Amino acid sequence: VQLQASGGGLVQAGGSLRLSCAASGRTLSSYAMGWFRQAPGKEREFVATINWSAKNTYYADSVKGRFTISRDNAKNTMYLQMNSLAPEDTAVYYCASGATWTYFTPIRLNDYADWGQGTLVTVSS
């Protein structure tokens, strides 16, 4: 499966962006999907995840209340609506898929089998 993340860009603090992750090659409706981010000089970190039916979501504390993850299985696409952006949100954002969400919430990198190439989000102060 190929994942294509898009929607990144430069935005002022307090602004909003909507990221998209389009999948091709295989339907993703059976898997949990997630967003991760990697700031310069830092490790890749979990941002948000959504289960296959979109009934369950989970967020990192740092983005809770500001970011919203969603998905459209008919379009094989996942989204991340980011509001009230702050400079510390500056990072390359990666989408991921292929996770299962049963007993444990998939928040680790190795919970996911497939990764997109990343899209850069820069928040200016």
Side-chain angles (χ1 to χ4, degrees):
V1 62
Q2 290 78 44
L3 301 176
Q4 181 72 38
S6 62
L10 174 64
V11 63
Q12 289 188 331
S16 299
L17 281 175
R18 188 193 194 203
L19 305 184
S20 298
C21 176
S24 60
R26 185 181 74 218
T27 180
L28 300 178
S29 59
S30 299
Y31 300 99
M33 299 182 71
W35 288 97
F36 290 75
R37 67 185 182 185
Q38 188 166 17
K42 294 187 177 181
E43 296 186 348
R44 194 172 300 188
E45 65 176 6
F46 167 78
V47 175
T49 185
I50 186 167
N51 80 325
W52 69 272
S53 67
K55 290 183 179 180
N56 293 317
T57 59
Y58 184 80
Y59 298 89
D61 288 343
S62 58
V63 307
K64 199 174 298 182
R66 301 187 298 123
F67 291 10
T68 302
I69 190 172
S70 62
R71 67 190 293 169
D72 185 337
N73 287 339
K75 296 182 179 180
N76 235 18
T77 302
M78 175 179 65
Y79 306 95
L80 185 68
Q81 177 66 43
M82 306 186 295
N83 298 329
S84 302
L85 284 162
E88 52 265 36
D89 295 315
T90 295
V92 177
Y93 283 71
Y94 297 90
C95 59
S97 185
T100 56
W101 189 338
T102 53
Y103 299 107
F104 301 100
T105 305
I107 64 172
R108 303 172 302 174
L109 272 70
N110 60 9
D111 287 334
Y112 295 84
D114 306 301
W115 291 84
Q117 86 294 352
T119 184
L120 176 62
V121 172
T122 304
V123 184
S124 63
S125 57

